[in-house]
Amino acid sequence: MAHHQRIRVLYDEVVIARRIDEIAGQIAQSDVKDLLVVAVLKGSFMFAADLIRAMHKAGMSPQVEFVHLSSYRAATVSSGQVEILRDVQSEVSGRDVLLVDDILESGRTLAFAKDLLAARGARRVLSAVLLEKPGKRAVSIKADYVGFTCPDYFVVGYGMDVAHSFRQLPYVGVIETDDQPGFDGV
Ligand code: IMP
Ligand code: MG
């Protein structure tokens, strides 16, 4: 284990903010009505907060809800099981819902959340993910809005963690060890 972990930045604050404004603009121009945003905790909290503010700037007035799902359990390999740790509290029946998640990898988390809200009678369940890793899908699912297609690294920051650390970083990056070139000291 390296004494000084460095993070190589993949998507910086400026790039993320610009992309989020584009996505919010697209959502604002779509035909969604009376939108309920459901952020999937914990990893999406930063993306969701920025996306919701960008939606406001784009003239929208979404309501906001949270569901806390877990599939990782402090490991970097998915267990394949999705658990509800905290459920949504609003009625979703008849609503247009936008699920917001940090990263689409196997697709199990998003598929589970989509099925859950659809089973409760949501009129439409759309999804926005900050990142997608192609070639990792175990479940056939596509997000309606994707921030960036990400190389197949384990990424941290901007809400995403490894063993509960690094969520606070305002950018998305990859952890590097001492013998590899680092770009941004932490
Ligand atoms: P999926 O269910 O396999 O699509 O995984 C989605 C969830 O796994 C995400 O919401 C993240 O919480 C977590 N995850 C997947 N890849 C990464 C990564 O590279 N860094 C941090 N978390 C990840
Ligand atoms: Mg997550």
Side-chain angles (χ1 to χ4, degrees), residues 1-180:
M1 183 66 158
H3 284 296
H4 299 286
Q5 288 184 320
R6 289 179 300 254
I7 308 288
R8 180 165 59 90
V9 179
L10 287 181
Y11 306 103
D12 69 22
E13 286 181 75
V14 172
V15 163
I16 292 171
R18 196 184 302 137
R19 185 70 188 116
I20 288 177
D21 281 344
E22 286 172 4
I23 291 173
Q26 287 170 12
I27 297 169
Q29 278 168 23
S30 73
D31 60 351
V32 293
K33 282 196 208 68
D34 184 27
L35 187 66
L36 177 66
V37 170
V38 175
V40 181
L41 297 174
K42 300 176 189 170
S44 79
F45 77 93
M46 216 177 265
F47 175 45
D50 286 345
L51 182 60
I52 290 158
R53 281 180 287 194
M55 285 176 167
H56 165 76
K57 281 195 286 173
M60 299 183 73
S61 314
Q63 293 185 350
V64 184
E65 258 289 356
F66 303 91
V67 64
H68 187 181
L69 301 178
S70 172
S71 61
Y72 261 74
R73 295 263 161 228
T76 57
V77 178
S78 174
S79 65
Q81 296 284 322
V82 181
E83 233 186 303
I84 304 176
L85 301 180
R86 179 204 185 270
D87 209 337
V88 289
Q89 291 175 338
S90 296
E91 180 63 64
V92 300
S93 176
R95 308 278 312 259
D96 284 357
V97 176
L98 178 71
L99 278 166
V100 177
D101 205 355
D102 50 0
I103 181 160
L104 179 58
E105 196 178 61
S106 76
R108 288 192 190 96
T109 308
L110 198 61
F112 178 91
K114 270 193 128 167
D115 290 350
L116 185 74
L117 299 178
R120 291 177 182 171
R123 192 173 83 95
R124 225 165 14 146
V125 187
L126 299 166
S127 54
V129 296
L130 179 70
L131 304 175
E132 76 165 353
K133 287 186 197 167
K136 298 283 280 190
R137 222 70 84 241
V139 176
S140 163
I141 187 166
K142 273 192 175 167
D144 298 283
Y145 302 96
V146 176
F148 306 97
T149 299
C150 165
D152 189 14
Y153 303 136
F154 195 83
V155 296
V156 296
Y158 201 68
M160 292 174 284
D161 72 312
V162 59
H164 310 295
S165 292
F166 302 108
R167 293 194 197 274
Q168 82 286 358
L169 300 175
Y171 47 80
V172 175
V174 185
I175 299 170
E176 298 204 322
T177 52
D178 271 348
D179 50 2
Q180 290 177 289

